[in-house]
Amino acid sequence: MKIAMGNDHTAIEMKQAVKEFVETMGYEVVDFGTNETASCDYPVFGEKVGRAVASGEADLGIVICGTGVGISLAANKVKGIRACVCSEPYTARLSKMHNNSNVLAFGARVVGIEMAKMITEEWLKAEYEGGRHQRRVDLITEIENKNL
Ligand code: RB5
């Protein structure tokens, strides 16, 4: 299974730590950057990860900026993306089980590296439950389709 990762300049160290952690869990990681310490624009990397997941190039995505908010907003603009900012493992797990989130976001200025790993592990291990949740996820997709 392939995980696309993207981040801005605030999250290079965290991305590297989470990337290594995800690899030890047995996943392949495609790193869309940035790996440059110079200040950059998070939407560029949020979009790259969103497009990789939406196209099927990657199965899931993980995006990190200072808060997780900006980069998740950018990823969410890609059709088919359900990116969720999670600062603790419970929300991360439920975002997969109930919302079928396909991109996980968190903030390098909000959570520490160990918490980021826990959030990631919980999210990757969780499975979408479908059932009653599918109707609600379908309603989200309907909203998205009205924007065309
Ligand atoms: C960069 O300073 C910061 O705005 C960015 O990392 C992110 O937190 C935006 O949502």
Side-chain angles (χ1 to χ4, degrees), residues 8-10 42 65-71 109:
D8 73 2
H9 54 284
T10 67
Y42 56 79
C65 64
T67 59
V69 173
I71 201 160
R109 290 172 173 164

Side-chain angles (χ1 to χ4, degrees), residues 15-36:
K15 187 269 302 288
Q16 195 53 39
V18 173
K19 181 181 170 185
E20 283 165 22
F21 178 71
V22 167
E23 285 170 343
T24 63
M25 285 182 76
Y27 298 92
E28 185 184 337
V29 173
V30 188
D31 183 357
F32 285 93
T34 185
N35 289 299
E36 308 291 333

Side-chain angles (χ1 to χ4, degrees), residues 17-146:
V18 173
K19 181 181 170 185
E20 283 165 22
F21 178 71
V22 167
E23 285 170 343
T24 63
M25 285 182 76
Y27 298 92
E28 185 184 337
V29 173
V30 188
D31 183 357
F32 285 93
T34 185
N35 289 299
E36 308 291 333
T37 53
S39 182
C40 64
D41 298 326
Y42 56 79
V44 172
F45 305 96
E47 181 182 4
K48 283 184 183 183
V49 170
R51 296 218 178 275
V53 173
S55 70
E57 178 187 345
D59 300 283
L60 295 167
I62 299 174
V63 291
I64 321 170
C65 64
T67 59
V69 173
I71 201 160
S72 68
L73 290 174
N76 271 320
K77 293 298 176 189
V78 177
K79 190 170 159 54
I81 294 303
R82 289 174 300 280
C84 300
V85 186
C86 300
S87 298
E88 36 70 32
Y90 178 80
T91 306
R93 167 146 49 110
L94 270 289
S95 81
K96 180 80 89 56
M97 290 170 67
H98 290 189
N99 314 114
N100 200 13
S101 58
N102 50 14
V103 174
L104 171 68
F106 40 79
R109 290 172 173 164
V110 179
V111 299
I113 283 177
E114 292 310 313
M115 178 60 92
K117 289 184 198 171
M118 257 189 219
I119 292 167
T120 299
E121 182 173 18
E122 204 68 20
W123 184 70
L124 287 173
K125 282 184 177 169
E127 285 184 20
Y128 177 50
E129 284 181 347
R132 72 187 192 280
H133 302 295
Q134 189 57 48
R135 183 178 71 252
R136 296 155 186 166
V137 172
D138 286 344
L139 285 168
I140 294 171
T141 305
E142 271 182 38
I143 298 168
E144 189 176 57
N145 289 338
K146 282 182 201 166

